[in-house]
Amino acid sequence: MTTAPASGTAVPASGTAVPASGAAVPASAAAASGTVTPAPTPGSAAATAATTPGTAPAATAPAGPVPVVLAVIPARGGSKGVPAKNLAPVAGVPLVGRAVHACLGARSVTHVVVSTDDPAIAAATRTAGAEAVHRPAALAGDTATSEAAVLHALDAFEATHGRAADVVLLVQCTSPFLTPAEIAETADRILTGAADTAFTAAPSHGFLWRETAEGAEGVNHDKAHRPRRQDREPEYLETGAVYAMAAPGFRTHRHRFFGRTALVATDPARVLEIDDPHDLARAKALAPLLDAPVTPGFADVDAVVLDFDGTQTDDRVHLDAEGREFVSAHRGDGLGIAALRRAGLPVLILSTEQNAVVAARARKLRIPVLHGIDRKDRALKEWCEAEGIDPQRVLYAGNDVNDLPCFHLVGWPVAVSSAHDSVRAAARAVTVTPGGAGAIREIAAWLLGPELDTPARTTPES
């Protein structure tokens, strides 16, 4: 069972939560066909990725047991606008993973599940630290509503865990810049009794128009009178990112708006809903500007794989009169690689170039090298299989478009700061240091600390 902090306190797996209504709600027959797959305990990578600046206003904690706040993320496998949309990476993390991380970071949320019909999405869900609920085909078509998926997930959760949810959230993974604070604040509107339903909305002072047979007409204004922005009350655009409902009322009304409804104002600059490839491209371009900086620690990585040209060098080649090539390497990178070896992390150089200088540098560093590789992603996958390493536990550092297939394979794609724009947009983390100027030394410091100390190994208890 996946639990997330609630008011600063984790809910024990064996604990019993009492619904606000005082009575458990029986699960419907649909729950019998819904399989909840437990996730592994979230690692520090997920905890780090969930950290976002900004804190939601503190809510008044209700007396008694901690309320059960269930976040449901619908994520079908099919998508016409963007194939495999929910697995599309933004800043190196699949959209479904970004949504899971945001929910796990929300202090009010106690449980997170993803409703899906796709095994690959279910696997990505568990990697991110949440539970997967198998959605039947009848609820996975284009005509199926989000409410139906949430009701099914609610039934499956309650049947599996033997407890009723007090608040249920509908969280859309097509909103990549959703923050934990926004999720928590939306849930708090229900927890504090301020509302029965709540949703996120972006303030707007825009003038809306519509086409009519007589010509364009103002929707929210009189075209003959256009007051200044500061003289107009803001209106709010529903973002589609988060909805919160009192669970008993949601079961009764079976839709996301009932009773008293509250809105949670969000930053319009962060509002983006991915419906087509252009939206996805914008999300990737905006991620370096909107995401909080995230770097991995030693516990997040089982191996480090390094591109060579442009990553360990400045991407320039010097030629002599005989046509021999020379490149410059940074001694700090060598120091960092040596520290990674001492820490027991496998390190590999993977290069497209068939060049003696690459092999010579690898010998100097005493690490293996694969060079002259056309399909770097295939070579990386084969190396991981041979070494028994999960690609999701690999940090891959690169700088150009031929590194992108490897970025899509590993859990920690890292771009050096001098990398091509498309590579930095696809990276989960970006160094401050350019390639060839100590970027690998910087990465080593992320994992081992600035002094490059070898982490102490845990000794099994006797």
Side-chain angles (χ1 to χ4, degrees), residues 101-256:
H101 294 160
C103 291
L104 290 175
R107 55 177 168 71
S108 305
V109 174
T110 58
H111 302 80
V112 182
V113 301
V114 172
S115 169
T116 186
D117 60 330
D118 188 290
I121 292 176
T125 295
R126 291 188 289 270
T127 296
E131 297 177 1
V133 173
H134 176 69
R135 194 192 310 188
L139 299 179
D142 291 339
T143 59
T145 65
S146 296
E147 281 88 347
V150 174
L151 282 166
H152 173 264
L154 187 60
D155 286 344
F157 168 82
E158 293 181 352
T160 301
H161 294 285
R163 62 179 71 182
D166 299 295
V167 177
V168 62
L169 304 177
L170 164 59
V171 180
Q172 302 282 17
C173 53
T174 48
S175 297
F177 302 116
L178 175 66
T179 69
E182 290 167 343
I183 296 172
E185 190 173 352
T186 308
D188 285 347
R189 293 292 196 275
I190 316 303
L191 290 170
T192 60
D196 302 297
T197 58
F199 66 102
T200 52
S204 170
H205 288 84
F207 291 112
L208 297 180
W209 294 78
R210 63 169 162 246
E211 289 277 9
T212 71
E214 290 74 32
E217 291 183 354
V219 173
N220 60 348
H221 68 287
D222 180 353
K223 65 181 181 180
H225 174 65
R226 295 171 60 86
R228 299 176 303 168
R229 184 182 188 279
Q230 58 266 40
D231 295 331
R232 300 176 61 218
E233 289 294 324
E235 294 170 310
Y236 292 86
L237 176 67
E238 187 176 331
T239 68
V242 185
Y243 302 86
M245 296 82 71
F250 180 63
R251 285 191 175 282
T252 299
H253 296 277
R254 307 181 75 81
H255 64 82
R256 70 190 76 176

Side-chain angles (χ1 to χ4, degrees), residues 433-452:
T433 314
I440 309 306
R441 168 64 170 81
E442 180 183 337
I443 291 170
W446 294 349
L447 304 180
L448 305 176
E451 303 300 322
L452 300 181

Side-chain angles (χ1 to χ4, degrees), residues 81-82 272-285:
V82 181
L272 175 62
E273 189 168 5
I274 296 178
D275 289 322
D276 60 42
H278 301 292
D279 297 329
L280 182 59
R282 282 194 290 273
K284 291 181 177 182

Side-chain angles (χ1 to χ4, degrees), residues 8-36:
T9 304
V11 180
S14 59
T16 301
V18 179
S21 60
V25 181
S28 73
S33 62
T35 304
V36 178

